[in-house]
Amino acid sequence: MALNERAKENFIQKRRKEARDEADFQWLDPISEEERLSGKILTFIRHELYMELRYMEPALSVLTYRKMEGLLTFATDGVYLYYAPEPLFRIFRKNAFFLDRAYLHAVFHCIFRHLWLAGRRDRRLWNISCDIAVEMVIDSMDKTCTKRILSWLRIHTYDALKQEKKGISAAVIYRFLKEKPEEEICGLEKEFYTDDHRFWPIEKETDTPVCIQTMQNWDKTARQVTLEQSRRGDEREEGEEFFRAQTQAAKNRRNYSDFLKKFTVLWEEPHLDLDEFEMGYYAYGLRLYGNLPLLEPVETREITKIREFVIVIDTSYSTSGELVKGFLKETCSILSQKNRFFEACSIWILQCDNQVQKATHVCSTGEFERLIRELQILGGGGTDFRPAFSYVEMLRNQGEMKCPGGLLYFTDGKGIYPGKKPDYKTAFLFLEDYEETAVPPWAMRLKLEPEEWMHEYQTGKRRD
């Protein structure tokens, strides 16, 4: 075992010396040789990481190298790893291990989907939170190629986060930082800065086909890394176990807007599109027969949208009224967007603690908005999920509800779940960490982050 470690170390030292010697050499064509040498250094860094993190092989080769002047460190948009040659050469000569950390740091951002989960959070605070989350994972791994001496600030920050006992993720760290003064935030920003986030997509860009495809590619890569880690048995080590927990937390996080697409159904709606038929036949029929066209335009189309479903609000004593209103406003805002909602729709909003306190039926976004403005939370008892499902069956038996596309249950997750699977899609939307084993296997689940859609959380002026 000692012989293998010594041979690996000798190989790494030899490759590093060769790369340094080439970095000191002057070529006749500085542009082409500059890029060639940069690629050689980056490839060496990737190989060095692979030597100690074998299960990371599927992720280390995903990013394509791209030269970008003006950068002081690495940057990524999920597709490219951007670098500037001059800082790359300089840092490689003086502190090559920093490049190992920075490379792995950028890859971890992609695996944990930090680039696409910011939502409406404060961008600066989100960037700091993501950097702390990634650095905490790297420091916990304690690998030779990424090892560094931990400062007092790092040790103190890690200890404070562990005492939160809410799991460690960028979202948890974000809420932790919102309580900190500006002076402390500046110190953390300086301490944990590793890569440049200038190419991370803004909120409006995350719905573009390119961003969606990029995130799906990293979802697939993260699954491959997790499977490879399990196959090798590395997940049992402390650092790798922490990495696996971060990966799982990212997997459980989805964009709420995308999640609602699971409840769309294929239905026919009125739609007149003059581009769908040949105008020549239409004009010829009118000319030949007077008022009898040979081909009329298609007046309907089949499309997938949300048509009929149920929203259940947990109004037990543990649920905040402001959070409920914020959740309904966000849902209404998403449904109001183009191609999300059929004009003839049917939505039931139920308020339920240990019994259904109130049921409201809305048939348009206008009625939905009016409901939110006039909403009064009723309840305050314990939590029992079963009455809401019984109420839905009663509505179906009475003919007031025909074919629900699904049911969303907004809750803190602490209650009695139904034992029988309904014949429609069901999802529980949680505000906090929940007990995975308590949720029925047939139910979808999504952990929401309030600061994504609550203005009070964005400004730090939360109202209970």
Side-chain angles (χ1 to χ4, degrees):
M1 183 67 181
L3 182 61
N4 290 337
E5 290 294 329
R6 189 159 53 252
K8 183 178 74 172
E9 182 64 25
N10 291 338
F11 169 77
I12 292 175
Q13 293 298 334
K14 180 179 178 181
R15 291 293 304 274
R16 182 177 284 117
K17 184 178 184 304
E18 291 175 354
R20 281 202 188 96
D21 292 342
E22 289 198 49
D24 290 330
F25 194 86
Q26 300 296 324
W27 276 273
L28 297 177
D29 185 358
I31 296 179
S32 60
E33 292 299 335
E34 184 181 66
E35 293 180 352
R36 186 186 72 83
L37 180 56
S38 297
K40 200 166 185 177
I41 291 174
L42 292 171
T43 301
F44 168 73
I45 293 171
R46 188 179 72 227
H47 290 169
E48 194 168 43
L49 289 170
Y50 171 70
M51 293 292 289
E52 293 200 74
L53 299 167
R54 299 287 181 128
Y55 60 87
M56 287 292 296
E57 181 183 11
L60 293 174
S61 302
V62 173
L63 297 174
T64 302
Y65 307 142
R66 172 168 284 192
K67 176 181 174 183
M68 180 66 65
E69 296 294 348
L71 291 174
L72 298 178
T73 181
F74 293 136
T76 185
D77 58 1
V79 177
Y80 296 102
L81 181 72
Y82 298 97
Y83 70 92
E86 191 277 326
L88 180 66
F89 299 155
R90 174 167 42 82
I91 297 173
F92 185 74
R93 294 190 191 100
K94 296 182 178 179
N95 186 9
F97 284 143
F98 173 81
L99 294 178
D100 292 352
R101 284 188 71 102
Y103 192 112
L104 187 62
H105 183 105
V107 171
F108 277 173
H109 276 316
C110 298
I111 290 178
F112 301 152
R113 282 71 125 197
H114 289 161
L115 287 70
W116 306 281
L117 296 179
R120 300 177 187 174
R121 295 180 177 95
D122 178 84
R123 296 294 293 194
R124 176 183 173 233
L125 213 57
W126 176 249
N127 289 339
I128 301 172
S129 303
C130 294
D131 283 337
I132 293 175
V134 168
E135 286 295 290
M136 194 171 178
V137 172
I138 296 176
D139 287 332
S140 70
M141 289 180 169
D142 196 29
K143 299 298 182 182
T144 302
C145 63
T146 58
K147 192 172 184 178
R148 59 164 291 167
I149 299 175
L150 300 186
S151 66
W152 177 88
L153 181 56
R154 286 191 177 229
I155 296 174
H156 176 74
T157 302
Y158 295 160
D159 289 342
L161 287 171
K162 290 175 182 178
Q163 291 176 5
E164 290 288 301
K165 297 181 179 180
K166 296 180 180 178
I168 306 298
S169 66
V172 172
I173 297 173
Y174 180 89
R175 289 195 287 273
F176 173 78
L177 294 182
K178 288 190 73 67
E179 308 297 329
K180 302 298 180 182
E182 176 62 24
E183 181 180 354
E184 189 169 341
I185 295 295
C186 291
L188 292 171
E189 184 176 28
K190 183 178 180 181
E191 172 67 28
F192 288 95
Y193 174 82
T194 305
D195 66 334
D196 197 313
H197 299 174
R198 69 177 67 181
F199 299 109
W200 287 19
I202 60 177
E203 181 186 0
K204 294 181 180 179
E205 297 174 343
T206 54
D207 287 335
T208 62
V210 173
C211 274
I212 293 174
Q213 183 61 51
T214 302
M215 185 167 63
Q216 290 175 347
N217 290 341
W218 277 105
D219 286 342
K220 180 180 178 180
T221 301
R223 289 194 298 270
Q224 292 174 340
V225 169
T226 303
L227 290 173
E228 185 67 17
Q229 188 185 42
S230 300
R231 188 180 70 83
R232 294 178 177 273
D234 293 331
E235 80 279 4
R236 290 189 292 271
E237 300 179 17
E238 181 180 358
E240 278 66 20
E241 183 179 355
F242 188 28
F243 164 78
R244 189 180 181 88
Q246 290 281 317
T247 307
Q248 185 63 36
K251 178 182 177 182
N252 292 338
R253 286 288 302 114
R254 295 189 185 92
N255 182 279
Y256 180 46
S257 177
D258 291 337
F259 186 77
L260 283 181
K261 293 179 182 178
K262 294 179 177 291
F263 298 90
T264 59
V265 295
L266 183 64
W267 205 261
E268 191 177 78
E269 73 171 1
H271 175 71
L272 182 61
D273 190 348
L274 297 179
D275 295 330
E276 293 183 357
F277 75 105
E278 179 58 52
M279 181 64 74
Y281 289 105
Y282 183 84
Y284 177 74
L286 292 178
R287 188 166 59 252
L288 184 63
Y289 300 107
N291 61 351
L292 184 63
L294 294 179
L295 184 65
E296 293 188 349
V298 178
E299 297 181 352
T300 61
R301 65 175 176 180
E302 289 188 338
I303 190 171
T304 55
K305 291 184 181 180
I306 294 175
R307 183 173 183 270
E308 184 177 35
F309 75 117
V310 182
I311 300 175
V312 185
I313 304 298
D314 178 3
T315 57
S316 61
Y317 66 91
S318 59
T319 306
S320 164
E322 289 297 328
L323 286 174
V324 170
K325 289 184 179 180
F327 165 72
L328 290 176
K329 286 180 181 177
E330 178 69 7
T331 304
C332 183
S333 175
I334 294 173
L335 296 180
S336 300
Q337 297 174 8
K338 186 179 180 181
N339 294 330
R340 290 293 178 90
F341 217 167
F342 285 108
E343 292 184 7
C345 64
S346 176
I347 298 180
W348 286 86
I349 294 94
L350 309 182
Q351 295 189 44
C352 182
D353 47 12
N354 53 12
Q355 60 181 320
V356 176
Q357 299 288 349
K358 186 176 180 179
T360 308
H361 185 212
V362 298
C363 298
S364 67
T365 54
E367 294 180 7
F368 204 155
E369 292 171 353
R370 184 165 59 252
L371 166 69
I372 297 172
R373 289 194 302 268
E374 301 172 355
L375 181 66
Q376 292 184 350
I377 303 299
L378 304 175
T383 305
D384 190 339
F385 303 125
R386 296 172 297 179
F389 291 87
S390 299
Y391 194 89
V392 170
E393 289 305 311
M394 182 192 71
L395 292 175
R396 298 177 70 180
N397 294 333
Q398 294 176 354
E400 298 186 43
M401 184 182 297
K402 297 180 180 178
C403 183
L407 182 146
L408 301 178
Y409 211 123
F410 180 77
T411 179
D412 62 358
K414 301 172 183 177
I416 305 174
Y417 290 90
K420 183 180 179 181
K421 178 182 181 299
D423 60 353
Y424 47 84
K425 296 178 182 178
T426 302
F428 289 91
L429 311 180
F430 302 101
L431 280 173
E432 300 176 355
D433 290 333
Y434 56 93
E435 188 178 351
E436 187 77 25
T437 56
V439 185
W442 44 261
M444 293 182 284
R445 66 285 312 263
L446 174 68
K447 183 182 175 183
L448 299 175
E449 303 293 348
E451 61 270 13
E452 291 185 8
W453 36 266
M454 283 292 290
H455 178 69
E456 291 81 0
Y457 279 81
Q458 294 178 48
T459 59
K461 300 177 181 179
R462 177 178 175 180
R463 298 191 302 268
D464 293 325

